[in-house]
Amino acid sequence: MTDTTDRPTRAERLDRLPFTRRHAKLLVGSGVGWALDAMDVGLISFVMAALAVQWNLDRTTLSWIASIGFVGMALGATLGGLLADRFGRRQVFALTLLVYGVATGASALAASVGVLIALRFVVGLGLGAELPVASTLVSEFAPRAIRGRMVVWLEAFWAVGWLAAALIGYLVIPQVPEGWRWALAIGVVPTAYAAVVRWGLPESVRFLERKGRFAEAEAAVAGFERSAGVEPVASPDVAVVATPDGQSIWSPALRSRTAALWAVWFFINLSYYGAFTWLPTLLVGQGFGLVKSFEYTVIITLAQLPGYAAAAWLVEAWGRRPTLAAFLAGSAVSAAAFGFANSATWVIVAGCALSFFNLGAWGALYAIGPEIYPTGVRGTGTGAAAAFGRIASIIAPLSVPLLLGGGGLALVFGVFGTAFLLAAGAALLLPEARNLSLD
């Protein structure tokens, strides 16, 4: 009988690899789906600004158009995480892309506010389920030394998608009659991409081992090793016991990190979606005009890219927890500055700073989430935190009209700045997992 005691596990073999073409394919394959999701969320902010003019909608109606998608996202995030732990990351990832792509394309045909709101809910279901599933899949294949950086790179595709939405909003919506319909029609692209994801990406090795599908797990690891020029040496087929029987994300060992993660997700969602969903509409309300407001939003969106780049370096050089807390604190200062901006120059400067720090914080948050849970509840844990955060994203767009009436932009962004500070404090309570194995 062959001695297997000194042979590394498949997880250890993945951790030791350098970044390879297989990793790049996984990152881009997941990232394009992520970017398309961001494009959809970004487009609705420009659609709101256009509908306020073309359909003469009041702020309350607009806020419901924005918030209803987040209701779907809250449900989708919970369901997606549970399904990913039960049926696999890849299949759920593809299904979510299909759901939200079809619903977004159908939204372009909406003839009334009621139909548009209903379709936005379905879009949210797909979008909410996709994001935590994609980050879990990437984190489980990433080598230990660059795991956090790879997840931040994945999150950076959000900036690409949001920038695409800003450009579509700027170049399409104001230029043609009912241009918002053409903008939403572009969202049908993910429907075709879903097939590529389903057949082109690997399934999580840790998930396959938990299900006893050892041959598939071995083939996936061997493929990554050959891509790095490493001759595969098969690991022993030992079932992974990822969690003790009956353990949940609220078990004594995990409850404190779950509570801290939920708090960060809640407060960062409240501030991010409150600010960026309303940004073009708020700028129009400040008298900048539809085209000029969209132009400023494009500039502000560009600042997301260096924010992600800085976070991608810092999560490995400095750590996940301090990076997340520092970027959230920077977001708080930037939000306060934006609330008091009284000229076009200061709107752009403060907006770019908010975009830089806030999106860098998102990158660090997605990096730390999958690392603090064992394999058996990793999808559930990240999905549940995202779902709880979506409660805040539902509240945020609805709260903006009330805050504007109570104290203008200063009160709106003062509240968002305070929420960022609370998120920074909660981030300091999370465990640090830099250079640690996922299990």
Side-chain angles (χ1 to χ4, degrees):
M1 180 178 294
T2 303
D3 182 15
T4 62
T5 56
D6 59 345
R7 286 157 55 187
T9 66
R10 295 182 183 92
E12 290 171 337
R13 289 158 61 192
L14 288 173
D15 274 343
R16 297 172 183 175
L17 293 177
F19 186 81
T20 70
R21 293 181 62 183
R22 283 289 185 101
H23 291 105
K25 181 181 179 181
L26 172 65
L27 188 62
V28 173
S30 301
V32 172
W34 201 289
L36 292 170
D37 285 0
M39 185 179 73
D40 177 85
V41 175
L43 278 176
I44 201 62
S45 66
F46 295 94
V47 169
M48 286 167 53
L51 290 178
V53 176
Q54 295 176 17
W55 284 8
N56 195 29
L57 300 181
D58 57 35
R59 287 174 176 171
T60 301
T61 303
L62 291 172
S63 64
W64 274 109
I65 292 174
S67 289
I68 195 64
F70 299 124
V71 176
M73 289 173 74
L75 296 175
T78 301
L79 183 62
L82 292 170
L83 291 176
D85 285 336
R86 183 175 179 83
F87 298 108
R89 289 33 166 158
R90 181 178 63 177
Q91 284 84 343
V92 176
F93 187 19
L95 177 63
T96 58
L97 284 168
L98 182 65
V99 169
Y100 105 84
V102 171
T104 299
S107 299
L109 304 176
S112 67
V113 172
V115 173
L116 181 60
I117 287 176
L119 288 169
R120 293 304 305 169
F121 173 78
V122 179
V123 169
L125 285 175
L127 177 59
E130 189 272 326
L131 297 178
V133 174
S135 62
T136 298
L137 180 63
V138 170
S139 67
E140 289 183 334
F141 271 103
R144 180 189 305 180
I146 59 168
R147 185 174 62 236
R149 187 166 297 164
M150 275 190 65
V151 177
V152 178
W153 287 342
L154 171 67
E155 236 295 279
F157 279 88
W158 186 270
V160 176
W162 200 281
L163 181 59
L167 290 172
I168 293 169
Y170 177 61
L171 297 173
V172 175
I173 292 178
Q175 309 302 330
V176 297
E178 295 196 315
W180 63 272
R181 294 187 185 275
W182 290 101
L184 287 178
I186 298 174
V188 78
V189 173
T191 303
Y193 183 69
V196 178
V197 172
R198 172 61 180 84
W199 299 109
L201 297 183
E203 182 55 88
S204 163
V205 171
R206 290 171 172 86
F207 169 81
L208 293 172
E209 288 183 323
R210 282 184 58 240
K211 297 299 183 180
R213 294 158 59 180
F214 298 115
E216 294 174 68
E218 183 62 38
V221 175
F224 275 80
E225 288 178 325
R226 292 190 181 96
S227 179
V230 175
E231 186 61 31
V233 176
S235 298
D237 292 338
V238 179
V240 175
V241 181
T243 57
D245 291 341
Q247 187 180 66
S248 75
I249 61 173
W250 291 107
S251 65
L254 300 176
R255 65 175 57 144
S256 61
R257 64 186 62 184
T258 295
L261 186 64
W262 282 32
V264 176
W265 266 93
F266 184 89
F267 290 118
I268 195 173
N269 270 275
L270 183 72
S271 300
Y272 174 78
Y273 287 106
F276 285 92
T277 300
W278 274 94
L279 184 59
T281 306
L282 291 175
L283 291 176
V284 171
Q286 292 296 103
F288 289 109
L290 192 65
V291 175
K292 186 60 68 175
S293 297
F294 286 6
E295 179 183 324
Y296 290 168
T297 304
V298 171
I299 296 171
I300 290 171
T301 302
L302 284 169
Q304 296 181 11
L305 295 170
Y308 281 124
W313 181 74
L314 287 171
V315 291
E316 301 296 357
W318 192 13
R320 283 79 154 128
R321 183 173 56 191
T323 300
L324 177 58
F327 273 73
L328 286 168
S331 300
V333 174
S334 303
F338 192 90
F340 290 100
N342 55 10
S343 68
T345 299
W346 279 109
V347 163
I348 293 174
V349 171
C352 285
L354 179 59
S355 196
F356 175 92
F357 285 110
N358 194 188
L359 277 298
W362 274 112
L365 178 59
Y366 272 103
I368 203 172
E371 294 181 333
I372 65 175
Y373 291 111
T375 298
V377 293
R378 183 169 296 126
T380 301
T382 54
F388 185 73
R390 298 308 175 194
I391 298 174
S393 63
I394 296 166
I395 297 171
L398 294 171
S399 69
V400 169
L402 299 175
L403 295 173
L404 279 173
L409 282 182
L411 179 60
V412 171
F413 284 90
V415 169
F416 294 157
T418 301
F420 279 131
L421 283 179
L422 292 171
L428 294 175
L429 301 177
L430 291 169
E432 176 61 57
R434 181 176 57 145
N435 289 329
L436 297 179
S437 174
L438 282 179
D439 291 302

